[in-house]
Amino acid sequence: MGQEIKIRLMRKEDCEAVEKIECACFSTPWSLESIGEVLQYETHQFLVAEVNSEVVGYMGMIKTLDEADVTNVAVLPHMRKKGIGELLVRESLKRAREEQVNTVFLEVRESNVGAIHLYEKFHFIPISMRKNYYKDPLENAVIMSANLSTIK
């Protein structure tokens, strides 16, 4: 890619950029207010990816005891296929492991083969299906989990 990708914790001033990413990537994006609210909780870990000081991707995770749930992983469409999503997942899982998280769960659209392959790189495995979980378009969610002790 030739450009340095920086992964860091999300800050208040990143909320508008994250909202833009939400709108570009999801049919039912989070509101600016909802994005800002996540910064209030110690259990919420949201990371952003920066290229040339521009926020181009983010990943959210919510920790509950020794488990965590991924909220979203998103990268601006024109910045995909450059390893940004992989860097976000790697750093987020590393931080979760440091906080004694053992298991991470996520939902992904059944048709999102690229994301499923990304998660499989980090030893996520399908454990269940949620029928008609996603709207616009209506689609099933594959529920995946990873045991962080198996991830290097």
Side-chain angles (χ1 to χ4, degrees):
M1 181 163 120
Q3 301 169 325
E4 183 183 354
I5 303 164
K6 179 181 175 185
I7 307 296
R8 62 169 174 78
L9 286 171
M10 188 172 97
R11 301 184 294 246
K12 185 175 170 69
E13 57 266 25
D14 300 321
C15 290
E16 287 184 15
V18 169
E19 181 192 33
K20 262 176 69 175
I21 296 166
E22 275 281 312
C23 291
C25 297
F26 301 114
S27 58
T28 52
W30 287 22
S31 68
L32 182 60
E33 181 182 19
S34 294
I35 294 164
E37 284 177 5
V38 302
L39 296 173
Q40 300 175 48
Y41 304 102
E42 286 184 24
T43 56
H44 292 43
Q45 172 191 272
F46 278 66
L47 302 177
V48 296
E50 276 186 337
V51 174
N52 297 331
S53 301
E54 177 191 1
V55 175
V56 298
Y58 85 98
M59 178 172 174
M61 189 180 289
I62 299 172
K63 180 183 167 190
T64 308
L65 303 174
D66 66 343
E67 296 181 346
D69 291 287
V70 173
T71 61
N72 282 332
V73 179
V75 176
L76 287 172
H78 72 280
M79 296 299 291
R80 292 180 185 160
K81 307 266 189 243
K82 300 176 189 291
I84 295 168
E86 187 169 336
L87 288 172
L88 283 163
V89 173
R90 178 174 284 114
E91 180 64 20
S92 190
L93 294 178
K94 176 182 157 255
R95 289 172 183 243
R97 195 179 311 108
E98 289 168 356
E99 294 183 22
Q100 281 71 53
V101 169
N102 293 321
T103 308
V104 178
F105 298 92
L106 60 82
E107 294 95 8
V108 59
R109 280 185 182 270
E110 189 174 32
S111 65
N112 194 344
V113 176
I116 291 169
H117 288 313
L118 170 64
Y119 301 137
E120 287 173 340
K121 281 185 182 182
F122 292 96
H123 306 277
F124 279 86
I125 58 169
I127 58 169
S128 185
M129 183 81 72
R130 278 207 179 104
K131 293 285 186 193
N132 302 323
Y133 180 74
Y134 291 103
K135 310 291 182 235
D136 299 323
L138 190 64
E139 188 171 355
N140 298 334
V142 178
I143 301 171
M144 302 181 82
S145 72
N147 179 331
L148 296 189
S149 67
T150 66
I151 301 171
K152 304 296 174 217

